[in-house]
Amino acid sequence: MKPWIPLAFALFGIGAAQAGDTVSVVMEQATETGPGASLGTVSIRQSAYGLVFTPQLNGLEPGIHGFHIHVAANCNAVEVDDKLTPAGAAGGHWDPNNAGRHGFPWEDDAHLGDLPALYVAADGSVSQPVLAPRLKELEELHNRALMIHAGADNHSDHPQPLGGGGARVACGVIKVPTSSAPI
């Protein structure tokens, strides 16, 4: 690489996101007619320890909920077996390494989209951040969906597939802005 290129990137703010950069994802109810009412946002930022997901959400059922990155940037409902599946267009859990199994967010041989579960307070709010230690770059998440499931997540495929999270209750599309400023 030419020695002046890194300087040009630094001067013009071009290139990859840096530690501390943040993306905000609007989370909407997942319904049979497509995205519904807004429930709030989840900010995602890079840190030295992985990506940090900080929810500012209201209107969810109290308890523990599965939280995942899904393959497609689409929160629309789709028909599966003659039944509409809310946020089904987001596809399955993001698994770029073809691990083929659901697991803990720190396991190397599990879906990369497996995140720590969210704890929703008795009033339906959630604000506790979670850390995804294997996810390092915001750009990896561009054009993916962020999903909250109805049930808890045991981070295993047993006794139920995909941690037992069940129905999709909230979905948001992740868009990571890129700079298009000329050099």
Side-chain angles (χ1 to χ4, degrees):
M1 178 182 328
K2 303 218 185 270
W4 58 268
I5 291 176
L7 178 60
F9 281 105
L11 289 173
F12 292 102
I14 301 169
Q18 302 297 313
D21 284 355
T22 302
V23 170
S24 184
V25 179
V26 175
M27 299 297 290
E28 297 170 313
Q29 288 178 331
T31 74
E32 290 182 355
T33 58
S38 175
L39 299 171
T41 62
V42 174
S43 65
I44 308 169
R45 73 175 174 82
Q46 290 182 196
S47 80
Y49 307 102
L51 294 182
V52 178
F53 293 75
T54 304
Q56 292 298 320
L57 302 169
N58 288 293
L60 293 165
E61 289 293 317
I64 298 179
H65 293 267
F67 189 43
H68 307 104
I69 298 166
H70 284 243
V71 173
N74 190 336
C75 292
N76 291 324
V78 295
E79 192 173 314
V80 178
D81 298 327
D82 297 323
K83 183 181 178 203
L84 284 173
T85 300
H93 293 183
W94 183 46
D95 188 19
N97 301 327
N98 297 312
R101 66 176 281 276
H102 187 65
F104 288 98
W106 54 84
E107 291 180 318
D108 288 333
D109 63 342
H111 301 144
L112 203 52
D114 294 341
L115 302 175
L118 291 179
Y119 173 75
V120 179
D123 67 358
S125 68
V126 57
S127 59
Q128 183 65 39
V130 297
L131 174 69
R134 292 186 303 147
L135 299 177
K136 304 294 184 192
E137 303 291 331
L138 282 170
E139 288 83 6
E140 293 178 287
L141 305 186
H142 182 62
N143 282 333
R144 306 275 175 231
L146 191 57
M147 194 74 63
I148 300 172
H149 292 268
D153 185 346
N154 71 357
H155 300 288
S156 173
D157 282 322
H158 302 286
Q160 296 177 357
L162 303 174
R168 300 164 185 210
V169 297
C171 182
V173 172
I174 303 169
K175 295 288 185 187
V176 179
T178 59
S179 175
S180 59
I183 295 179

